[in-house]
Amino acid sequence: MTTRTKITGAVLGAAVAGALALVPLTDDGSAGEADSSAVVLGASEKEAVPSFTATDWVSYGDQVAVVRVTAEHERRDTDTETETDEEAGTEEDYLSRTVDLQVRELVWARSDAPALPPTVSVTADGWQLKDGTKHELGSPDSSRLEVGHDYVITFARFSDGAWSPLGSGGVLPYDHSRIGEGEFQGETGTADAYRSTWEDRLVPGDEQPMAFRTAGKPATSVQGILRSATPDATAARYFDLDPAARHQKVAGASEPADTFCSVAAPLAVSEDSRHTPDELASVLTDLAGLAGPAGKDASALRAYARSLEAGDGTSASVDDTARKASVARIEQECGTEVGELLPTDTEADTGKG
């Protein structure tokens, strides 16, 4: 007996933890066929690679193809610990599922991308086994990849050489040669319903997902969109890396860089920050680097920093001319009041108790 049940993200298949990963098929044979009742989905976890938009597909994908799921296999992950009779009576296990995908049509390929094999096998959402009953598990806004259904999938080859769908957003239902028609979230639906689902999820100003842009259309519409799409500039510089490593480069590049005023912000009187002479000198040296290699403002910042490092932590030991010039530079640039710009934690630097 198979039922569909609500679950948490902790027990979902490999698809929710990142891009789907290929695993070897087992010899367990095909799993039993599920019933047709409505699937209740659990919360998914963040995926390792973005996969919903055309920019995502051309930045991280290698090939896009129409595939058919020809078989599914279950593999029970057994616990090595010995169970008591009482525990065995309430057994609850996760059953992994792999599916065989037959490539029926190649739709798009990234320039210089490796060739996609004619058949691939991937890990998909599986089942929870509790008290002898299999509960079918699914992920929100994604397809389970069920036997007999067609899909348009964007594939990527990862660092271990395995091919996999890029992520849940890179799997589109494609029964009867119409995107959005077929299996989605464990249920068989129409292209119109699929488009409406994604329309409800649109965010103004964000790039529309491929699922919404192509719903009701043939696979050739995907080809046209991707041919005119531009990959992320950082991702394009790292096409030699696998998608997960490439995305890490993009995520790192998107972090805001330090600016002169962001570095100077802790020096504001309103922040009531405490700085030893060495700490203040370090901040001033950083500011000098952001102010540019030349110019009297950068020179004053460096000169004041050097006097702080060489002095005894008192106001009499610093370069007062450079200090005043540094104050003027910061306040003029950032509109931030920094007061006298003297060390405010001299005891830590001088050893006084």
Side-chain angles (χ1 to χ4, degrees):
M1 177 180 181
T2 302
T3 61
R4 301 177 191 262
T5 184
K6 183 176 181 179
I7 58 169
T8 63
V11 294
L12 290 178
V16 301
L20 299 172
L22 285 174
V23 298
L25 291 177
T26 67
D27 297 324
D28 297 332
S30 296
E33 189 172 350
D35 65 29
S36 59
S37 60
V39 61
V40 181
L41 305 168
S44 65
E45 299 175 9
K46 184 178 180 180
E47 296 186 333
V49 182
S51 62
F52 287 90
T53 68
T55 299
D56 296 336
W57 287 27
V58 298
S59 296
Y60 306 108
D62 289 314
Q63 299 273 357
V64 176
V66 175
V67 304
R68 174 164 294 176
V69 182
T70 57
E72 63 181 3
H73 308 260
E74 71 177 49
R75 181 188 61 214
R76 184 168 177 176
D77 298 324
T78 57
D79 195 333
T80 57
E81 296 181 1
T82 302
E83 296 179 324
T84 66
D85 292 340
E86 182 179 356
E87 290 172 335
T90 58
E91 182 181 12
E92 183 173 334
D93 289 324
Y94 176 71
L95 302 183
S96 298
R97 183 172 70 112
T98 60
V99 294
D100 300 351
L101 307 178
Q102 180 186 62
V103 176
R104 301 171 66 84
E105 177 187 350
L106 294 175
V107 177
W108 172 88
R110 179 176 60 81
S111 179
D112 298 323
L116 182 69
T119 59
V120 293
S121 299
V122 305
T123 298
D125 287 328
W127 302 271
Q128 184 182 43
L129 180 63
K130 184 175 183 180
D131 299 331
T133 301
K134 286 170 62 177
H135 300 266
E136 189 172 278
L137 308 181
S139 303
D141 295 338
S142 64
S143 295
R144 286 193 82 245
L145 296 176
E146 296 189 341
V147 175
H149 289 279
D150 293 340
Y151 302 87
V152 172
I153 295 180
T154 176
F155 288 93
R157 190 172 70 175
F158 287 80
S159 58
D160 60 358
W163 283 92
S164 168
L166 189 61
S168 58
V171 179
L172 311 180
Y174 195 57
D175 287 356
H176 311 117
S177 299
R178 294 188 71 203
I179 292 174
E181 191 158 320
E183 185 272 318
F184 179 64
Q185 299 186 139
E187 299 295 329
T188 300
T190 66
D192 288 343
Y194 184 74
R195 180 181 174 84
S196 295
T197 295
W198 285 103
E199 187 172 17
D200 291 340
R201 289 158 172 72
L202 296 180
V203 177
D206 285 0
E207 182 179 355
Q208 294 177 347
M210 287 291 288
F212 176 77
R213 296 179 67 181
T214 60
K217 300 177 182 178
T220 51
S221 67
V222 172
Q223 184 182 75
I225 291 172
L226 297 184
R227 283 180 173 176
S228 61
T230 302
D232 178 273
T234 301
R237 291 199 298 271
Y238 293 99
F239 276 142
D240 57 317
L241 301 179
D242 89 323
R246 197 181 312 155
H247 178 57
Q248 289 178 355
K249 293 289 187 181
V250 172
S254 64
E255 294 177 358
D258 287 334
T259 65
F260 185 92
C261 291
S262 69
V263 172
L267 302 178
V269 173
S270 60
E271 292 296 319
D272 195 28
S273 301
R274 308 293 297 176
H275 298 92
T276 66
D278 284 344
E279 289 170 344
L280 181 56
S282 178
V283 174
L284 292 166
T285 299
D286 290 342
L287 289 174
L290 293 168
K296 64 179 182 179
D297 292 333
S299 298
L301 290 163
R302 290 192 181 92
Y304 183 32
R306 286 194 296 268
S307 72
L308 286 166
E309 293 169 338
D312 59 9
T314 65
S315 59
S317 65
V318 301
D319 184 333
D320 200 51
T321 300
R323 179 187 64 80
K324 292 179 179 179
S326 297
V327 170
R329 172 71 169 89
I330 296 169
E331 293 187 342
Q332 181 179 6
E333 176 75 13
C334 306
T336 300
E337 184 182 352
V338 295
E340 296 298 313
L341 201 59
L342 289 167
T344 51
D345 189 6
T346 57
E347 290 183 357
D349 193 59
T350 60
K352 295 179 181 179

